[in-house]
Amino acid sequence: MNVCNGSTRSSGACAPGLLSLRAVRAAVAGLLFVCMPVVAQVELEAFLKKDAFTNITISPTGAYYAATVPSEDRTGLLIISRTTNKPTGGVNLGKNRHVGNFSWVGPDRIVFDVYEKIGMLDQPRSYGELFSVDAKSGFSELLVGQRVVVSSLSGRGNIKKEEKIFANMVDDLPADDQWVVITAIPVGNDLNNRAELLDVYSGKRKLIVRAPVDNASFYTDSSGVVRFSTGHGADNFSKLYLRSGNDGEWELINDEATTGRIEIPIGFSSDNKIAYLQSEQKAGTDSIVALDPATKARTDVMRDPKSDPSSIIYSYDAGATPMGARFLEGIPRTAFFDKTSREARLQRSLEAAFKGQTVYVTSTTKDGKLAIVQTESAGSPGDFFLFDTVEKTAKLLFSARREIDPATSAEVKPIDLKSRDGLDLHGYLTLPQGSSGKNLPTIVMVHGGPFGIFDTWTFDDDAQLLAKAGYAVLQVNFRGSGNYGRAFYHAGAHEWGAKMQDDLTDATRWAIAQGIADAGRICIYGGSYGAFAALTGAAKEPNLYRCAVGYVGVYDLPMMVADGKGNRRSTDTWFKEWIGEGAMLASNSPTNQADRIKAPVLLVAGEEDEVAPIAHSKKMEKALRSAGGSVETQYVAHEGHGFYVEANRRAYYVKLLEFLATHLGGAKAAGAKQGK
């Protein structure tokens, strides 16, 4: 295989047309930044830039690329001619609005959904609107959603339905350029979900089938026929239904309340004689099983001993048959049902060509000749290549962020350890370049969520920035995190501030015992739930952590539960099952443990945060001051759950590095006042 240099620093000669693409995105890409070895100061510029593109796909005929383009507080969609490397159209939705999933539904038409994020750490909230955009003209219109207005469409005689509806894509029907399958949910009524056909030109909709269960999702077979539905009632127990075809009745084939597992459809064989499910197990990791739709017999197909299937690898034909899976524990790896399949052989050749990188095929042309290949690693935000599957050649299209040089990135090592009660824990250790890896000032960095979220071997701006400042960075996937099976996930229920916190403590003590962390120079740091864990860690282990940083955090569980209750019956059930109720909420809240916190604390929050309202930080600050604690704050107007504006992010990182330098002795940001 003849592949251009897999580094993000590939030369222009290796990538004809790259300069014109970069010119299109000049406002996003910014100036080239060359990282230097760790010295007394840390340059922030490379860590403040957005990725130039976050996803790119190729159209069915190969005439166009489509790419999502992040900017300060929004994500747009850009369509580019493959022949000229010039834009033919684009979509900008406005502040806090982001193009989410998008699909080519014909040779020159895309359907995409829209979501809202008020802050970089906010979980996307869908508007339930589907738009179409024409690649040739760039014209975009709303097809279905709450803001559709009745209009007769000239020359077609079709009428859009004006209905308060929440919609999402189910199947783009590759063999059909006019219709797609969607889920339609009447606003305010989770009990009446239905699968419909949507005309991507007129917005006309046709009923396919109604859901057999509340809060339903639908799944199609290789012919585009709706065959599965999953959902749950107020009890939050998942149910899976199957039907034989368009005229079949729904049949319940799995009820979590009875079997103790959740099963999710992931696809069908090309002849529809086998359905594939990702199936939870009572112990250990999820498995992929083959289901005979006629007999309901299940056969195990694939199971990894350490982690769940993170994403499914599909065939490159229109039927999109499951062929294998990607696993993200440790360094990502792939596995296939049939090691001799075309997809398996291509994946292995790409992995050999891009050694040390995680490789994804994001899309292919309809004939399978051309593919978009994405590569990334813990040291690189990634690159996108156009790959010719016949000639076996790859051409660099662009780098996600050319300001980052992988050669200067810190090493990220997978780690394994045991919790105090014998649970297997996994995580990552980032070490400063040029260090011995021993007796280092250390940051225990806690992921948010917490449930179902997990740290992976991908480029992490915060970890790399902290390593530049001279710190080892320890990340551990504590119980309740995703990726390690049902039992591990459910082990986090009611453990906010309890066993979930003990896992972090055990990981910290492991790093000390291994000689990695200097026991007198350890800080605990996190955002959202991670901020809760940082303050809880400082309270539970006052002699272990030298300082604590909480970024856009929640610190008062009764306040959090009260703010979230009453929206839906299932939400109330979820709080009781996962967070707890009554006295345990108050006793596990850092706001009620401030008198035990001896370490200096930094609290950072956005005034427009709707996920972790600033009231949490202010209450935590007040409690610390009342207890005589040392606390610094940075409250920022017009920011939400994670900061968008580059100037605000710069000020935050300057403050963070200054705070850590004061208490652990690492480097400050370049341009900041030096010395203590």
Side-chain angles (χ1 to χ4, degrees):
M1 179 186 297
N2 176 24
V3 180
C4 292
N5 180 3
S7 165
T8 56
R9 271 14 71 193
S10 299
S11 69
C14 181
L18 176 61
L19 289 179
S20 60
L21 272 176
R22 288 177 61 199
V24 169
R25 300 312 309 145
V28 178
L31 299 174
L32 180 66
F33 171 78
V34 181
C35 294
M36 301 297 291
V38 177
V39 287
Q41 301 180 37
V42 179
E43 296 286 354
L44 296 179
E45 300 308 313
F47 300 99
L48 298 174
K49 298 297 181 184
K50 300 279 189 182
D51 288 354
F53 299 89
T54 51
N55 191 23
I56 182 170
T57 62
I58 194 167
S59 66
T61 62
Y64 303 98
Y65 305 121
T68 42
V69 184
S71 56
E72 193 164 80
D73 57 3
R74 66 202 68 191
T75 302
L77 181 70
L78 187 69
I79 301 172
I80 302 165
S81 166
R82 187 168 70 88
T83 303
T84 66
N85 280 333
K86 294 180 180 179
T88 64
V91 177
N92 185 338
L93 300 165
K95 183 179 179 179
N96 295 331
R97 289 167 61 86
H98 303 259
V99 172
N101 299 310
F102 66 92
S103 302
W104 288 98
V105 296
D108 54 12
R109 184 160 289 259
I110 292 172
V111 170
F112 63 90
D113 63 9
V114 179
Y115 62 86
E116 180 183 74
K117 285 177 62 177
I118 303 177
M120 290 186 67
L121 300 186
D122 195 0
Q123 291 296 307
R125 288 169 286 182
S126 175
Y127 276 81
E129 296 177 333
L130 295 177
F131 289 77
S132 68
V133 59
D134 183 80
K136 292 181 179 178
S137 66
F139 175 73
S140 177
E141 68 173 321
L142 175 61
L143 294 173
V144 58
Q146 299 182 47
R147 295 180 297 172
V148 164
V149 177
V150 169
S151 60
S152 296
L153 298 181
S154 175
R156 293 185 179 271
N158 295 324
I159 304 294
K160 288 183 183 178
K161 292 177 65 176
E162 185 172 358
E163 180 183 7
K164 295 294 184 182
I165 202 84
F166 183 102
N168 55 60
M169 180 83 82
V170 174
D171 189 338
D172 57 19
L173 300 179
D176 189 330
D177 293 343
Q178 181 177 358
W179 298 90
V180 297
V181 179
I182 65 169
T183 298
I185 308 166
V187 173
N189 184 0
D190 297 334
L191 313 183
N192 194 30
N193 295 13
R194 53 191 186 263
E196 296 183 343
L197 286 169
L198 171 69
D199 186 321
V200 299
Y201 291 91
S202 71
K204 182 178 180 180
R205 300 181 355 238
K206 297 179 182 178
L207 176 67
I208 299 174
V209 67
R210 296 186 184 278
V213 62
D214 300 347
N215 305 291
S217 299
F218 297 97
Y219 305 84
T220 56
D221 64 16
S222 293
S223 303
V225 177
V226 176
R227 299 289 299 281
F228 283 111
S229 181
T230 62
H232 61 85
D235 60 4
N236 276 343
F237 284 118
S238 175
K239 295 175 174 58
L240 174 64
Y241 288 82
L242 171 69
R243 64 181 192 148
S244 59
N246 276 328
D247 298 323
E249 297 294 325
W250 289 114
E251 178 184 0
L252 179 65
I253 64 169
N254 183 65
D255 186 343
E256 182 189 6
T258 301
T259 65
R261 67 174 183 267
I262 295 173
E263 291 186 325
I264 300 297
I266 59 174
F268 278 77
S269 60
S270 58
D271 60 7
N272 292 321
K273 291 183 179 180
I274 300 173
Y276 294 95
L277 309 173
Q278 182 163 331
S279 178
E280 289 184 336
Q281 305 299 311
K282 290 184 178 179
T285 57
D286 294 0
S287 63
I288 295 176
V289 300
L291 171 76
D292 184 328
T295 66
K296 313 303 182 296
R298 290 167 169 81
T299 304
D300 288 338
V301 174
M302 178 178 288
R303 190 181 188 191
D304 185 83
K306 284 192 172 183
S307 64
D308 301 335
S310 174
S311 59
I312 305 303
I313 301 172
Y314 291 94
S315 62
Y316 301 146
D317 57 36
T321 301
M323 304 296 291
R326 180 170 282 101
F327 299 91
L328 297 185
E329 194 281 319
I331 296 175
R333 58 196 182 279
T334 56
F336 290 85
F337 306 161
D338 177 2
K339 296 179 181 179
T340 66
S341 69
R342 174 195 178 202
E343 288 76 8
R345 287 184 284 110
L346 177 59
Q347 182 70 27
R348 293 293 173 255
S349 66
L350 288 169
E351 290 170 350
F354 297 107
K355 194 171 181 61
Q357 302 284 309
T358 304
V359 182
Y360 302 85
V361 176
T362 71
S363 59
T364 65
T365 52
K366 201 167 187 176
D367 61 11
K369 183 183 178 187
L370 297 176
I372 299 295
V373 172
Q374 179 183 5
T375 65
E376 64 177 17
S377 71
S380 169
D383 304 295
F384 292 87
F385 294 82
L386 180 65
F387 178 64
D388 187 317
T389 64
V390 177
E391 299 296 330
K392 301 294 189 293
T393 58
K395 179 180 72 174
L396 177 67
L397 295 176
F398 55 83
S399 298
R401 209 180 329 161
R402 292 184 64 81
E403 296 82 7
I404 298 293
D405 183 352
T408 66
S409 292
E411 181 183 9
V412 182
K413 297 179 177 180
I415 60 168
D416 303 287
L417 62 135
K418 289 275 190 184
S419 71
R420 65 188 67 182
D421 58 358
L423 202 61
D424 289 324
L425 300 177
H426 310 280
Y428 298 90
L429 180 67
T430 303
L431 297 174
Q433 262 203 357
S435 76
S436 65
K438 297 295 183 181
N439 200 37
L440 294 168
T442 300
I443 310 298
V444 179
M445 193 167 77
V446 190
H447 71 65
F451 300 118
I453 308 299
F454 57 100
D455 289 317
T456 61
W457 193 78
T458 53
F459 189 86
D460 188 306
D461 280 283
D462 280 15
Q464 290 289 336
L465 173 63
L466 292 169
K468 280 276 190 287
Y471 304 108
V473 181
L474 176 65
Q475 297 168 274
V476 63
N477 288 316
F478 46 86
R479 69 191 70 201
S481 301
N483 196 44
Y484 302 101
R486 178 185 177 90
F488 189 87
Y489 175 70
H490 280 258
H494 288 186
E495 297 298 341
W496 283 54
K499 291 181 180 179
M500 291 163 71
Q501 196 68 42
D502 292 342
D503 291 344
L504 296 170
T505 302
D506 294 345
T508 305
R509 297 196 186 284
W510 170 88
I512 295 171
Q514 296 293 314
I516 299 162
D518 179 343
R521 293 188 295 165
I522 302 174
C523 183
I524 185 167
Y525 160 52
S528 196
Y529 170 82
F532 171 95
L535 272 292
T536 300
K540 291 191 72 172
E541 302 291 340
N543 298 318
L544 184 60
Y545 300 111
R546 184 76 178 270
C547 58
V549 180
Y551 176 55
V552 296
V554 291
Y555 308 109
D556 189 284
L557 295 183
M559 183 191 302
M560 184 187 77
V561 171
D563 288 345
K565 271 184 170 290
N567 295 330
R568 300 161 68 177
R569 291 178 298 157
S570 57
T571 301
D572 293 349
T573 301
W574 186 88
F575 277 126
K576 291 178 182 178
E577 290 180 345
W578 290 93
I579 309 300
E581 55 186 330
M584 68 181 302
L585 296 176
S587 63
N588 286 341
S589 296
T591 49
N592 295 321
Q593 303 175 45
D595 60 329
R596 299 172 55 188
I597 296 175
K598 308 304 179 188
V601 170
L602 171 62
L603 298 174
V604 181
E607 292 185 356
E608 294 182 0
D609 194 337
E610 296 180 359
V611 178
I614 197 170
H616 280 268
S617 295
K618 290 184 175 181
K619 187 172 183 179
M620 188 74 241
E621 177 194 1
K622 182 178 179 180
L624 287 166
R625 294 195 187 283
S626 296
S630 171
V631 57
E632 298 179 42
T633 62
Q634 187 181 52
Y635 299 149
V636 181
H638 310 302
E639 288 282 13
H641 197 57
F643 297 169
Y644 275 136
V645 178
E646 184 173 312
N648 293 336
R649 294 174 62 226
R650 182 190 306 277
Y652 165 58
Y653 282 128
V654 168
K655 180 73 171 177
L656 174 66
L657 292 181
E658 180 181 30
F659 179 81
L660 295 175
T662 298
H663 301 291
L664 301 185
K668 294 184 179 182
K673 184 178 179 181
Q674 301 302 306
K676 295 185 180 179

